[in-house]
């Protein structure tokens, strides 16, 4: 009798970050489709979140959970702030945040090694509340098994 053993990648990946504005509470986002940079990585196990660029890069294939909370201060005439979760150039979900309110989403996404995930500003000249009101978190729920089986016995 032969046994097939599948190998398992036990990489630990989790992060929790927020936007800390050191000079003021209001954070200006200048460009449309600009990454919102959550500059304070409270937890960054596996170093997959890049706090200088606002991008999470999957270190292993697997299923990931992301939780995002945005607090908006709109400069637009409709008093709404618009953003979206971007996975490799594809919009996975959208945010509509009313002035001084919060909007939250949770997304479960299958990623390949090297895939990028970020939260982006959808309109030009928007603003968010910094000072820990706006957060981006995620973790690897489970990695994919290695498809190359090892035969033992």
């Amino acid at each position: 009798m032969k046994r097939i053993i599948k190998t398992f990648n036990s990489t630990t990946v989790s992060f929790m970050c927020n936007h800390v504005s050191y000079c003021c509470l209001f954070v200006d986002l200048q460009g449309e489709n600009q990454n919102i940079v959550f500059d304070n990585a409270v937890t960054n196990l596996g170093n997959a979140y890049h706090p200088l660029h606002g991008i999470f890069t999957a270190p292993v294939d697997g299923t990931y959970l992301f939780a995002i909370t945005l607090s908006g201060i709109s400069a637009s005439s409709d008093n709404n702030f618009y953003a979206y979760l971007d996975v490799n150039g594809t919009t996975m979900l959208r945010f509509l945040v009313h002035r001084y309110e919060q909007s939250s989403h949770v997304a479960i996404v299958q990623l390949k090694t090297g895939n990028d995930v970020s939260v982006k500003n959808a309109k030009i000249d928007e603003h968010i509340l910094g000072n820990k009101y706006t957060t981006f978190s995620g973790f690897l729920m489970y990695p994919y098994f290695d498809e190359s089986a090892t035969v033992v016995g």
Side-chain angles (χ1 to χ4, degrees):
M1 173 193 265
K2 292 184 180 181
R3 293 185 316 166
I4 297 177
I5 299 174
K6 290 191 170 201
T7 57
F8 177 74
N9 186 332
S10 62
T11 302
T12 300
V13 181
S14 66
F15 74 98
M16 187 277 180
C17 51
N18 53 46
H19 197 294
V20 177
S21 179
Y22 295 106
C23 66
C24 57
L25 182 62
F26 307 116
V27 179
D28 292 332
L29 302 172
Q30 301 301 319
E32 185 176 353
N33 302 317
Q34 167 188 341
N35 286 342
I36 298 174
V37 177
F38 299 84
D39 56 354
N40 183 36
V42 177
T43 302
N44 197 5
L45 300 177
N47 294 312
Y49 178 75
H50 309 287
L52 295 178
H53 306 288
I55 298 172
F56 172 85
T57 303
V60 297
D61 294 358
T63 301
Y64 292 81
L65 182 140
F66 295 97
I68 306 100
T69 298
L70 299 177
S71 299
I73 306 171
S74 176
S76 64
S77 61
D78 67 359
N79 284 326
N80 294 319
F81 168 74
Y82 302 91
Y84 60 97
L85 181 68
D86 180 271
V87 178
N88 283 327
T90 300
T91 300
M92 295 302 292
L93 49 86
R94 296 185 186 277
F95 294 89
L96 168 61
V97 187
H98 300 294
R99 188 174 180 89
Y100 295 110
E101 293 184 5
Q102 292 181 315
S103 178
S104 296
H105 278 297
V106 173
I108 297 174
V109 182
Q110 294 178 348
L111 299 176
K112 296 284 189 190
T113 302
N115 286 170
D116 289 334
V117 178
S118 62
V119 180
K120 294 190 174 192
N121 182 38
K123 291 175 72 177
I124 195 166
D125 292 330
E126 289 288 0
H127 311 281
I128 58 171
L129 277 173
N131 198 21
K132 303 178 184 175
Y133 288 101
T134 297
T135 62
F136 182 29
S137 304
F139 63 91
L140 174 64
M141 291 175 60
Y142 57 89
Y144 292 143
F145 287 101
D146 185 351
E147 293 301 323
S148 59
T150 303
V151 178
V152 178

